[in-house]
């Protein structure tokens, strides 16, 4: 479904991606782990075209991501941003139904509102939340609204950027369970970036570890603990000693 | 410093300035192109009309009335030096309509609207809302920039017209209440003296200044750096650039209208 081949990206002298190779099969959940500043978000944004790679190939459904009808391409995706990225000026329901109120997926306002309320219920929020503004919600509620927005148009591919950052352990568990349920229920292909190991175990079918701009290890989540890879071992056990420098 | 090094430094500064001008010109051309091509976002356009036009009326009105009043006092006391106190209505009218009305409205819009547009868009960039727009198949130039610039192009000339009227009314009030002018004669002198060209130049300047103010706010907002410092820098730079460009455009437009 998504294939990245030898993707490279530098910002000035900082070579963030140094030949990234990654394959995410259809209807599977891939979690990319790695330390802060290793290029996880950059990798994700190159697929969406938010950042243009310097070289390499990105294929989605066998077609190059940077060619063809951009609207049709983006219509396949839903994304949950790290901070929610909800539009402050719009009430919650219009945030959720944003895609359904304009463009090629436009529906009548009443229908869009109904879908938004249904998606809010799906992520555990009551319909009363629909008319509030994002600033009136807690961090956990904002994440749920972001999740509802990501799934509102029933995309084939969903990206989750640090879905549990800034949440307490209980709310993190709720969000992890929701992501897993929704991905399975929708049969969507998911790509999540995180450094929260509880998220990895709850969400992933497959795991890829990004280090030094390349995929250091990739495989099924069940193989992660017995990988024998010193980088992965250090990361998942949170050890200060090991091949990954603690101070970068 | 050697002359060659000095020359190199000067060259770098000129190249940087030209590159900035080029980026700004491309941004303005891109904005114009998005304003003319669908999809259009009427809700955002009408919200911008309200914010830029209607909500700027108090600040424009207050600026204009005080300026008109002060101008009447200055012309009266200055004119008294060569027995020309009677020209207060004519000079207030021409000063407000040709020059002070559009420039002061433009600068107030730069202070009020450019800063708020730049801060809003920069904050959206910092909080990934602009990335979110893209992933939701919505072009930020169409959704954020085009409606704001279009609204400014329409509303600022109207604000200038209102500012001109209120400014003249300020002068009228001071002249008739404090300086002993006859009310009917003041109005007649004002109306008789103003030409169509004066009013047209005022409105054209308003349109140009509105376009500059909104475009600068959007440009610096979209180009903003990261974090609170990035938002602050974008806001400050947008207001500085808008104010300077408005004054420069005023000079050019005045030259075009009144030296021909």
């Amino acid at each position: 479904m998504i294939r990245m081949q030898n993707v490279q990206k530098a910002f000035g002298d900082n070579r963030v991606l140094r030949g990234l190779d990654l394959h995410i099969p259809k209807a599977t959940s891939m979690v990319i782990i790695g330390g802060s500043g290793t290029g996880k978000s950059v990798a994700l944004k190159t697929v969406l075209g938010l950042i243009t790679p310097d070289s390499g190939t990105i294929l989605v459904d066998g077609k190059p991501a940077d060619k063809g009808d951009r609207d049709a391409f983006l219509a396949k995706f839903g994304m949950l941003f790290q901070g929610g990225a909800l539009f402050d000026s719009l009430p919650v329901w219009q945030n959720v139904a944003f895609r359904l109120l304009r463009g090629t997926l436009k529906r009548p306002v009443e229908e869009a509102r109904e879908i938004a309320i249904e998606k809010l219920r799906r992520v555990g929020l009551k319909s009363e939340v629909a008319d509030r503004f994002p600033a009136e919600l807690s961090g956990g509620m904002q994440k749920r609204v972001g999740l509802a927005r990501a799934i509102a148009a029933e995309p084939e591919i969903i990206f989750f950027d640090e879905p549990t950052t800034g949440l307490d352990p209980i709310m993190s568990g709720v969000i992890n369970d929701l992501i897993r349920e929704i991905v399975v229920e929708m049969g969507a292909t998911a790509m999540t970036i995180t450094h929260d190991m509880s998220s990895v175990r709850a969400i992933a079918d497959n795991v890829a570890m990004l280090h030094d701009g390349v995929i250091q290890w990739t495989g099924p989540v069940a193989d992660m603990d017995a990988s024998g890879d010193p980088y992965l071992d250090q990361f998942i056990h949170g050890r200060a000693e090991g091949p990954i420098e603690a101070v970068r | 410093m050697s002359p060659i090094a000095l020359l190199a430094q000067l060259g770098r500064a000129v190249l940087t300035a030209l590159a900035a001008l080029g980026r700004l010109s491309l941004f303005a051309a891109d904005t114009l192109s998005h304003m003319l091509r669908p999809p259009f976002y009427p809700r955002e356009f009408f919200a911008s009309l309200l914010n830029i036009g209607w909500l700027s009326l108090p600040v424009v009105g207050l600026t204009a009335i005080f300026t008109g009043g002060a101008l009447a006092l200055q012309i009266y006391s200055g004119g008294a030096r060569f027995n020309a106190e009677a020209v207060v209505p004519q000079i207030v009218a021409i000063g407000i309509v040709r020059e002070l009305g559009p420039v002061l409205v433009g600068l107030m819009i730069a202070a009020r609207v450019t800063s708020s547009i730049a801060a809003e868009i920069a904050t959206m960039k910092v909080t990934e809302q602009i990335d979110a727009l893209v992933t939701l198949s919505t072009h930020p130039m169409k959704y954020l920039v085009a409606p704001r610039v279009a609204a400014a192009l329409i509303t600022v000339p109207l604000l200038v017209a209102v500012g001109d009227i209120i400014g003249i009314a300020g002068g009228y009030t001071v002249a008739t209440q404090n300086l002993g002018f006859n009310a009917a004669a003041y109005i007649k002198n004002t109306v008789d003296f103003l030409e169509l060209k004066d009013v047209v130049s005022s409105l054209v300047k308003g349109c140009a200044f509105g376009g500059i103010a909104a475009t600068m706010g959007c440009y610096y907002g979209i180009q903003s750096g990261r974090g609170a410092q990035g938002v602050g820098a974008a806001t400050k730079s947008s207001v500085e650039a808008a104010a300077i460009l408005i004054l420069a455009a005023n000079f050019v437009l005045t030259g075009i209208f009144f030296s021909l």
Side-chain angles (χ1 to χ4, degrees):
Chain A
M1 183 92 189
I2 300 174
R3 191 177 286 278
M4 303 173 79
Q5 292 168 328
N6 194 27
V7 175
Q8 306 206 19
K9 179 68 191 177
F11 297 97
D13 296 333
N14 182 18
R15 290 179 62 208
V16 179
L17 302 180
R18 302 174 180 221
L20 181 83
D21 292 304
L22 186 66
H23 177 226
I24 308 173
K26 194 175 173 69
T28 62
S29 174
M30 167 67 82
V31 175
I32 302 176
I33 57 174
S36 301
T38 51
K40 302 187 298 292
S41 290
V42 174
L44 187 147
K45 287 180 178 179
T46 55
V47 178
L48 287 165
L50 296 173
I51 293 175
T52 309
D54 298 331
S55 62
T57 311
I58 300 170
L59 302 171
V60 176
D61 271 345
K63 294 173 193 155
D66 57 348
K67 295 192 172 70
D69 182 352
R70 182 104 179 110
D71 280 353
F73 173 77
L74 287 170
K76 293 179 184 194
F77 290 88
M79 176 151 177
L80 172 59
F81 285 84
Q82 188 174 347
L86 301 176
F87 305 122
D88 311 321
S89 58
L90 301 178
V92 162
W93 81 266
Q94 287 187 27
N95 265 280
V96 175
F98 191 90
R99 208 171 219 162
L100 308 175
L101 291 168
R102 43 186 71 75
T104 48
L105 300 175
K106 190 171 179 177
R107 316 267 177 94
V109 174
E110 278 312 307
E111 190 187 333
R113 186 180 160 88
E114 273 172 31
I115 293 171
I117 289 172
E118 183 211 318
K119 297 298 177 191
L120 286 170
R121 276 204 203 97
R122 180 65 196 87
V123 298
L125 292 171
K126 292 179 182 161
S127 56
E128 293 93 90
V129 172
D131 292 314
R132 289 206 219 157
F133 282 85
E136 299 172 274
L137 306 179
S138 68
M141 289 167 94
Q142 288 188 14
K143 284 269 172 157
R144 292 200 218 189
V145 174
L147 183 55
R149 184 173 70 182
I151 62 171
E154 311 209 331
E156 296 168 45
I157 304 164
I158 313 177
F159 286 176
F160 303 98
D161 184 0
E162 308 272 10
T164 56
T165 298
L167 301 180
D168 65 63
I170 296 169
M171 187 51 70
S172 296
V174 169
I175 295 287
N176 286 335
D177 291 346
L178 270 173
I179 289 174
R180 186 69 208 173
E181 282 170 27
I182 286 167
V183 168
V184 170
E185 183 181 294
M186 291 172 61
T189 306
M191 181 169 163
T192 306
I193 57 176
T194 186
H195 38 224
D196 176 355
M197 291 313 297
S198 61
S199 291
V200 178
R201 294 179 199 285
I203 297 170
D205 293 321
N206 298 304
V207 179
M209 181 172 174
L210 185 59
H211 180 70
D212 254 351
V214 294
I215 296 296
Q216 182 66 36
W217 182 88
T218 185
V221 66
D223 297 350
M224 188 173 65
D225 291 310
S227 70
D229 184 275
Y231 291 88
L232 183 63
D233 279 348
Q234 184 190 353
F235 188 85
I236 63 179
H237 295 112
R239 287 195 293 260
E241 287 84 30
I244 303 173
E245 286 176 35
V247 180
R248 294 187 291 271
Chain B
M1 186 182 283
S2 73
I4 295 290
L6 194 69
L7 208 61
Q9 214 167 35
L10 187 69
R12 266 195 297 276
V14 170
L15 283 177
T16 306
L18 288 175
L21 190 66
R23 279 194 297 274
L24 186 57
S25 304
L26 286 175
F27 184 84
D30 201 22
T31 302
L32 188 65
S33 139
H34 282 291
M35 276 164 58
L36 300 174
R37 287 181 292 132
F40 302 112
Y41 295 102
R43 187 181 174 279
E44 281 64 40
F45 173 68
F46 288 116
S48 298
L49 279 183
L50 186 73
N51 182 37
I52 299 171
W54 182 250
L55 297 179
S56 296
L57 270 174
V59 73
V60 165
L62 287 169
T63 306
I65 199 158
F66 290 128
T67 305
L71 192 59
L73 289 173
Q74 288 281 16
I75 294 162
Y76 186 80
S77 68
R81 293 178 190 171
F82 46 96
N83 299 321
E85 300 96 322
V87 296
V88 168
Q90 291 89 336
I91 304 297
V92 165
I94 206 164
I96 291 282
V97 173
R98 281 189 179 192
E99 202 61 35
L100 289 174
V103 169
L104 289 178
V105 169
L107 292 177
M108 294 315 289
I109 292 295
R112 188 187 171 275
V113 174
T114 307
S115 58
S116 89
I117 290 177
E120 185 184 357
I121 295 180
T123 305
M124 289 183 77
K125 187 175 180 193
V126 168
T127 55
E128 294 187 302
Q129 291 178 53
I130 292 186
D131 283 348
L133 273 180
V134 175
T135 64
L136 293 164
S137 307
T138 303
H139 201 303
M141 289 295 287
K142 283 197 186 302
Y143 185 77
L144 295 175
V145 178
R148 284 166 172 78
V149 175
L153 287 171
I154 292 169
T155 54
V156 177
L158 297 176
L159 284 171
V160 167
V162 172
D164 288 349
I165 293 166
I166 295 176
I168 289 171
Y172 164 87
T173 307
V174 169
T176 54
Q177 300 302 311
N178 295 11
L179 306 176
F181 279 75
N182 176 277
Y186 190 100
I187 293 170
K188 186 175 185 311
N189 282 338
T190 300
V191 173
D192 287 350
F193 190 71
L194 279 178
E195 294 176 3
L196 180 64
K197 191 162 103 171
D198 301 327
V199 178
V200 170
S201 80
S202 193
L203 299 180
V204 170
K205 282 181 177 183
C207 191
F209 300 166
I212 289 170
T215 305
M216 289 298 106
C218 295
Y219 176 74
Y220 281 96
I222 296 260
Q223 300 288 326
S224 151
R226 291 181 176 201
Q229 209 171 20
V231 176
T235 309
K236 181 193 72 178
S237 303
S238 69
V239 176
E240 284 172 354
I244 290 167
L245 282 177
I246 283 170
L247 294 172
N250 180 57
F251 173 72
V252 172
L253 289 171
T254 302
I256 292 170
F257 272 101
F258 300 109
S259 58
L260 295 177

